[in-house]
């Protein structure tokens, strides 16, 4: 690999890293991490690995979609973004209901019927 190619790859890696820091500070603020696991400058492809608290986070599929759509718009050399949380969530981290494992996200106020009679804590009045 020539020095020019190496310099161009390093510049592109730095711009991708800065893009992630600038556009997705919540990844690090919430205990997650994002790193370039593969860069193919020639084909315009990058693979981003989300880790830490991103693994198993119910919002990570939305974060992945946002990374994919914004990065190709902001960094012209990148045509395809692959991103994954490292869990068995399907191709490119897209949950899409095709996964056989993992947990579904829950939301405040959401209830599940597990067949038990437990109605939760009683009000003190």
């Amino acid at each position: 690999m020539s020095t020019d190619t190496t310099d161009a790859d390093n510049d592109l890696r730095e711009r991708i890293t800065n893009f992630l820091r600038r556009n997705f500070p919540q990844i690090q603020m919430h205990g997650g991490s994002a790193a370039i696991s593969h860069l193919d400058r020639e084909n315009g492809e990058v693979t981003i690995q989300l880790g830490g608290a991103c693994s198993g986070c119910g919002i990570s599929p939305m974060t992945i979609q946002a990374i994919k759509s914004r990065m190709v718009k902001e960094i012209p050399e990148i045509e395809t973004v692959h991103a994954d949380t490292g869990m068995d969530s399907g191709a490119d981290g897209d949950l899409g209901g095709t996964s056989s494992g993992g947990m579904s996200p829950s939301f405040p106020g959401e209830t599940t019927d597990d067949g038990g009679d437990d109605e939760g804590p009683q009000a003190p009045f």
Side-chain angles (χ1 to χ4, degrees), residues 87-100:
M87 297 188 67
D88 292 327
S89 57
D92 295 323
D94 298 326
L95 290 178
T98 60
S99 172
S100 61

Side-chain angles (χ1 to χ4, degrees), residues 32-125:
S33 62
I36 301 167
S37 61
H38 180 72
L39 176 61
D40 184 344
R41 190 175 205 284
E42 203 172 287
N43 291 322
E45 292 187 31
V46 64
T47 302
I48 305 295
Q49 183 68 44
L50 299 178
C54 292
S55 295
C57 175
I59 297 175
S60 63
M62 289 182 279
T63 303
I64 289 170
Q65 286 306 113
I67 290 170
K68 288 179 176 185
S69 65
R70 290 183 196 175
M71 189 179 295
V72 296
K73 291 177 184 173
E74 189 169 321
I75 302 175
E77 295 92 336
I78 300 299
E79 296 176 19
T80 306
V81 178
H82 304 282
D84 193 357
T85 60
M87 297 188 67
D88 292 327
S89 57
D92 295 323
D94 298 326
L95 290 178
T98 60
S99 172
S100 61
M103 296 175 57
S104 299
S106 61
F107 301 95
E110 180 179 57
T111 59
T112 58
D113 184 11
D114 60 3
D117 292 333
D118 183 13
E119 293 182 21
Q122 297 295 317
F125 48 88

Side-chain angles (χ1 to χ4, degrees), residues 20-21 23-32 54 63 70:
L20 290 168
R21 286 186 190 138
N23 288 288
F24 299 96
Q26 69 273 23
I27 292 173
Q28 190 170 15
M29 289 181 350
H30 294 159
C54 292
T63 303
R70 290 183 196 175

Side-chain angles (χ1 to χ4, degrees), residues 8-16 39 41 75 77-78:
D9 282 353
N10 289 339
D11 176 63
L12 184 55
R13 280 182 180 275
E14 186 174 332
R15 287 191 292 137
I16 291 169
L39 176 61
R41 190 175 205 284
I75 302 175
E77 295 92 336
I78 300 299

